Every structure is written in structure tokens, then in C-alpha cells.
Amino acid sequence: MADPGQADALVLPERLPRALAPAVGEARLRLPRHGPVRTMTGPDVGGEPVAEVLGELPAPGGGVRDHRGSQGGDGHEDHDMMAVTGEPSADGLIMESAEAVAGPLAAGVLPTGIALGIELDGDVVCRASVSSALELDADPLSPSANRWAVERGAAGSPQSAELIARRLAAVETERALSHSAWLARFTRLLGWPQATERLEGAIAPLVAAQRRFLEDSDPDGPGDCEELEALLGSLIGSRRLARRTEGLAAVGRRRAHEAGLRGPNARAAGIETDSRLADPAYLALDFAIVTRAAGDARARAELRAEEALASLALARAALQAGALPVDASSEVEGPRGALTGSTAGPDGSPAVLIRGGTPSRRTAEAAVAGLELGRALAAVASFDIAPGRSGP
Amino acid sequence: MSWWSLPGIAAVVAGGAFGLAMVEALVAGRRPSPRLALRRAGALLGQPVTRPWAVDRWLYHLAPPLLLSSAVLALAMVPWAPGFRGLDFNTGAILFSASLAYVTPAILMAGWSSGQPLSVIGGFRFLALMLAYEMPIVMAVTAAAAPAGSLRPTYIVEVQAAVPMAISQPLAFALFLPAVMAVAFIRPFDLPQADSELEGGAFAHYGGAHAAIVALAQKALILAAAGMTAALFLAGWHGPWLPGWLWMAVKTAGLAGLMLWAGRRLPRLDIAALLSFAWKCAIPGAILAIAWSGLVTLLFYR
Amino acid sequence: MDGLDLALAFWPAAVLMLLSAYLVFSTDSMARAGLLLMASLAIEGLLFLLLAAEFLGVLMLLMMAGEMVIMVFFMVMFMHDPGGWMGMDMTHQKRLSRGLAGAAGAALAAIVLGAGWVQAPEPGMVDVRDIGFETMGRSMPTFLLAGIAILFAMVGGTMLARQGGRLDRPAPGESREPVGGSREDGQS
């Protein structure tokens, strides 16, 4: 659902990060007849109690999502007629720059919690900055992978072969779910309703399977995913997808290496990095790494579709095998990159470490300079950035 | 033009909008639900009319009515049946294009007056698009009018009694249909509002009654586009067995369904690619279409 | 439509048209100025329709919409304060302008009131039909080709004048990098 005006109610967690307050406030404004707002207990996304945070909202009047642009009335007292910024663009005109923000509650571009600040020169992006509004460290969108990483990182307690098989199936199901959900979001950004609706419908069984895995109830895996597999297959090599993503935000192999990209973003640039290559459990299931060479948005999208297909097969195979070889490594390949489990987190509890800063975000920011707005948004979305303070 | 025309046109707008909502649901693979459509319309009207603070008040409030007026005027030009011809002006086909031309300032006003960068971008994107696609529309209309020797829509329909213009002038037809889809800013040409990219774009800051007017205007535009294409290129009310008005309704509904179906299946087109195509292919193509129509007229229609 | 009906429709519309034209120059906002001018010329088109000059009226309506939005576009591009928020006085050389406008208006009024307008054409007089036949007959290729030539000249000139296209430009401070799929963006 993209428009708060079509919602029936607004449901919030009990605690809300302050950074999300303006966006939530505006969503509340746009509910029909200031519709009901409810709170529920749920995942902890950090922050302060909701009532406190929402009470501090600026007065209604809209315009909250975009920063006040320089045209149409900025703060009049400091608006100097000659305060033009930036260098002339290729058409020779010096334009005033305008700022816009996408997110953190944008339904199209990025997952909830990620805010994309854009500085615009006309409709061309000069600068972008990606930041997370959620005060979390780990990636909240891959709980199964996080759990397995923590378990493997717990020194001195190797897992049983059966458990490994189940955890592998869980992680692979989650990978398929993550990639497919990303594809649904991406096609929504591209304005392709048929693909979006079909994908969203097809991933429902995966969502249920992921929940069953997390609850450790008797998992029967992803089950019948024919429709999803057909959809993913049709997206690989799709001309409609290619037309919008070909050559967009191309990251060459050398540049990807320098930036320290990991996960699918790196594999799309031709770097063969995957923790699963060294894991005997995966090797026992005939795991084959998926890479692309082009490094553009099309490569990233098609790579994720291909990986999702492979993951579904791996999950099924793992459950069928029932028991898989044990390994001492504490690395798990999450949907967005390698995760390392450690028993010594910042406050002593088990934690998941993600090494190497946020290369995807920095690469995305660098990639969009000079692109037209629509293409810039597609470029940023193609990196599959996850909320949280750090992330590949 | 009789006094019945005006209530008749209003009825066509209201009924057509409703029918289009059903067609849209059908094309999406859902069951058409009249109650749901009415409920959504009611919810839209029930929304508060919030106005962003940085707004040019006159332009902000005038843009949706201008959009609706131009849409209804364009719809009024469509000849539905020999007995119900709409406003049958002598220059009806060009007046149709003229009414569509006022969609551009309406959307520009809407985007500009909201005062926010993404809305302004939405408005100006549409302007760039329309400057490019207005010429193919007018030239295609001229190409269709040449064999009839008149710009009156009913005469253009009459001259297609034997052969629809889509067959005798395929290039004009192929240029006209996407161009009118672009004017109606439906997918895949929904660049001004671009729900996912521009967070609502030109119409982001319109709520309540304004948004309802814009939605109605868009439906009227789709209906006008489909109806006029059926009249100009698909021989309007001509056809065996069925009465004229039914043929016209079938053709219009079919075209509208085709437009909506294509919109669902295609990702939104990239603005740079669209403009490039318009200036390099569509406009030279339109000139060719006029030359072709002259040839066809000389050989077959005189 | 004639006589009283015509007068009742014509005069208020004419007054509205002149009012919008005046407002074009009294408003501070460039966007409003352009759109007011469009309104004024659109009313003029409707007046043509009223006076049974159908094709002229329709052409006015069609062309003015497109032209005025282009004017708004250029004004927004070049003016420092297109929104008119700062209340700048953008009029210059007021006395000279008033003088010239008054003189031009007086001359036009003299022509309108003093010329011998013909109420109905007599046979043998050159009239609009003859002009029409001439234009659409012998001189047709000239007009057609002139229009196409102008179009191609405009587009070609723009293509030759640009340097690299706006979507190729990196952000200030950024070096030109392979990152950023700008090579095939924009017009190439």
C-alpha cells in the first residue's frame, strides 16, 4: 500500500526512534478523518515511547516529507536573491539546488527505516545520502541468518547435523524471501504493477515458512513455490526489466573491490565472494556460486532472482537430506552479505558482527551523482540496502 | 448542439468513470466490485483537504477544476452515435486536441503551486513530455481528417464506413494511441504522479475533494482518449449486426481495457528514453503519416 | 447567435480578457503571469468561436496552451524569483513604456474605428475564400516545407549547441568515474 489515504488505521510499535517521527506524523495526517492510531508490542526498533515522540511533532501543514525547496518560499528572511549554489550544469544555467527526502516510510524505494536525502539540480541528482533511522546494529530483515550466525559463533558447542540441515534450510528460505521481496519492491519502484502484485502474492508461503522456521515448529520448508519460481525465471532475461536497468549504476570489478562491496552487490560485479563456498554443508548439496560480470542494476536484479531460485532448491534439498556435515566456521552468508557470529557483543551478549562499514550505501551515493531522479532512485534501490546502523 | 447535450455529457462522464473502474478491476484480474469502487470514492472525498504551507493558493485551487474542465470538454467532442454526437463542431477533431492541450497547464499548475521539489519535478516532467507528444496527436488527427475532407468527427466516422482508418493509415494510428495515453498520464506514462518515484508527484499534496476531482478527470481523459481513437481510427459506430451506439461502446471499452492492460504489464517508461523517442522517431513519423494520408486521400477517397 | 445574445456573451468576455491581460503585468509571480496571459488568449479564442470564426478560435485555443506553458517554463528557468515571493518590482522604464503603449493603443483604435470594414463581401472582391484557395493551392508546398524546415532547424540547433547533455554531468567535486551509468543516459 503506497498511500496513507487508503489505509484504515495506523499501527505503531510501542517505541519509536525519533528520526521516524516526522514521517509517521505525516502519515497520521493523511489517514482518512485522522483515523485510529494503535500501538502493539512487537520487534524492538529502538527509540523512545511513542507518545513522547509523536507529541513533539511540528504543527500540521504538510510539506514535511520534502525539505523546503528553494523555490516557492523558503524562510524569506534568509533567502538572498543572489544565493545560487552549485556550478552550471551542462546546459549552462546556474540553478538553485533543492532538497528532497525519500523515506524513512517510503513504500517504494527503500525498506522502512532507511532515509534517502537527495540534493537536486532541476531533476538531476547532485548528491545523495543514505542513512538509517532505526537504532539497530544488525540487519532486522534476516532473523534466521542472524540466529544461525550467533549459534555458530558460540564457541565450544558444535551443532548437530540435523540442526545444521534445518538452519541451512531456514537461511536459504529466508534468502529466497528477501530477494523476492526486494524484487517486489523494486518492480513497485519501476511502476510495474503486474510484476509487483504477482510477486507479492507468490511470496506469502515463504513468509509463513520463515515464521515456522523461527519458531522451530516442524518445518516443511518453502513448500510448493511453482508460481514464484516461474516469476523469477521470467524476470531473468526479461526485456522489460532490462530496458530500465541496463547500464544503470554500473560498478566495475575493480571499483567494487576497492569499495569493499559484499554479498550480491559484489557478486554482480564479478567478484566471487561467498561464505557458502567454504562450507561443507553447502558443498554437500552441490552449491554453485552465482555471479554476473556487468555490475549494473540489471546484473544485480537478475543475480538476486537467480540466487532466489537456487536457494529454494537448496532449502528443499537440505530438508530432504535431513543431516549435513558440521563446520567450525562462524560465518553465515546472509541475503546481503556475510555475517559473523560472536559471543562477545558490545554488552557481553551474543551478537552478530558485520564487518567493513557500509560499502553498499557509499557506493550507491556515489553512483547516483548526475543521474536523472527516476534513474537515481532505481540505482539506489538496486543495491538492496537494509536498515540498521551498519550493513553490507 | 442541443440542451440535452450537457446533461448527457455529465451522464457519460459519471457512468464512464464508473465503468472504467470496473474495466480496471477486470484487467487486474480482480472481480469488478461496484461497492468497493464507490467506497473508495467516498473515502477519498472524506479525506481532509490538507494544503502544504508553501503554496500558490490561486493556482493550487484552480488546477483540479481546469483539469476536469479540459477532460470533460475533450470527452464532449467524441461522437458516440448518429443520434448522440456530443458537441459536434465543424472543427471538432482539432478542438479535441485543443482541450487536451489544457491538461498540460493544469498539471504544471498543480505541481508548481504545491511548492515542493518533487511536485514541481512532476509538473515539469509532464510539460516536457507533452511538448514532445502534442505534435504527433495533432498530426495524427490531421492525417485521419484528410480523407474525410473535414474536421467534423461525424464526417470522419462516416468516411470509414468501408475501411477503418486504422487499416488505411496504420502509422497515424500507431502514433496516436500511445500519445493520447501519455496525455491521460496513465501507466506506463504516469510520469507526473509516479506513485513510487515522486511520492505522488504533481498531485502529492492534494487531498480530499481535489484528489477526487483529479481522479475523475483522469478517468474522463481515458474515456475521451479511447472514444476518440475509436471514432477516428476504428470506424466509430460502423459494424454489422449490432446498433451503432453499442459498437461504439464496445470499441471504446476495448481500447480502454487495452490501455489499462498495457499499463499494468509495462514498467513505467524512462523520461529520457521517451523524449528521445518522441523527438527522433515520433515527430518525423507523424510528418510521414501526413504525407501518407495525402497519398491515400488522392488515390482512394477522391 | 446574434444581436442581444452575442452582445451579452461578447462584452463580459472581452472585459475579462482585458482584465487578465492587465493582471499579467501587475502580478509579481512569473508563473501566474504566464498562466494569466494564457487565460487572456484563451478567452480571445473563445471570442473567435463566438464570432463564428471557428477554425481561428480553435487554433488560438490549441496553440496558446502550448505556447504559454513554454513561456512559463522559460521564465522559471531564467528569472531569479519566479514565484514572486520577494515582491521585487520587475518593471523598468515605466514612462517610456506607458508612452509607447498609449501611442500604439491610440493608433490601433484609430484603425479599428476609422477603417471601412465591409459588412458583407460583394462578388468580385478578394475575400478570405480566395486567400484560402491560394494558400492551400499553389503556395501549399511552400508553407508545408517551411514549417518542417523550421522544426528541424530548431531541433538540430539545440542538438548542436549542447555540450554533453545534462545527464552526463557529475556532481560538483566528484571525479568522473565509471560508477554511475551516465554514459548511455540522456540524449546520445
Side-chain angles (χ1 to χ4, degrees), chain C residues 103-116:
Chain C
L108 283 172
I111 293 175
V112 166
L113 293 172

Side-chain angles (χ1 to χ4, degrees), chain A residues 207-293:
Chain A
V207 175
Q210 184 198 37
R211 189 169 52 240
R212 284 198 302 270
F213 275 120
L214 285 172
E215 293 166 355
D216 268 332
S217 59
D218 196 20
D220 46 2
D224 176 23
C225 291
E226 262 178 35
E227 195 190 331
L228 179 61
E229 289 176 346
L231 278 172
L232 292 170
S234 72
L235 282 172
I236 303 173
S238 154
R239 282 243 25 98
R240 285 176 271 179
L241 183 64
R243 215 178 299 138
R244 283 295 298 269
T245 52
E246 186 82 48
L248 178 62
V251 181
R253 200 192 152 111
R254 190 182 56 86
R255 172 103 174 98
H257 197 71
E258 280 171 16
L261 282 179
R262 296 191 296 281
N265 293 335
R267 291 197 280 279
I271 302 177
E272 293 193 359
T273 163
D274 196 328
S275 321
R276 296 177 283 175
L277 280 176
D279 193 335
Y282 280 99
L283 294 173
L285 295 172
D286 293 323
F287 167 73
I289 190 172
V290 179
T291 56
R292 295 278 151 133

Side-chain angles (χ1 to χ4, degrees), chain A residues 5 30 33 61 65-66 68 71-73 99 102 122 188-194 197 240 244 372-374 377, chain B residues 46-47 51-54 115-118 120-121 125 187 196-199 204 263-268 270-271:
Chain A
R30 292 178 62 160
R33 297 216 181 278
R65 257 194 307 224
D66 301 319
R68 283 130 192 223
Q71 63 238 40
E99 286 168 18
R188 182 192 288 280
L189 172 67
L190 293 183
W192 190 359
Q194 185 201 35
E197 284 170 16
R240 285 176 271 179
R244 283 295 298 269
E372 184 262 330
L373 180 61
L377 291 174
Chain B
Q47 255 187 338
R51 176 177 60 82
W53 72 277
Q116 305 297 334
L118 293 181
V120 174
I121 288 180
R125 261 186 176 184
R187 286 187 287 249
S196 48
E197 281 177 25
L198 298 177
E199 300 199 3
R264 284 182 52 78
R265 292 178 60 88
L266 295 172
R268 183 180 309 123
D270 180 35
I271 179 96

Side-chain angles (χ1 to χ4, degrees), chain A residues 345-370:
Chain A
D347 48 357
S349 58
V352 178
L353 299 177
I354 303 169
R355 283 192 290 252
T358 54
S360 293
R361 294 182 201 182
R362 303 288 88 81
T363 313
E365 290 172 356
V368 300

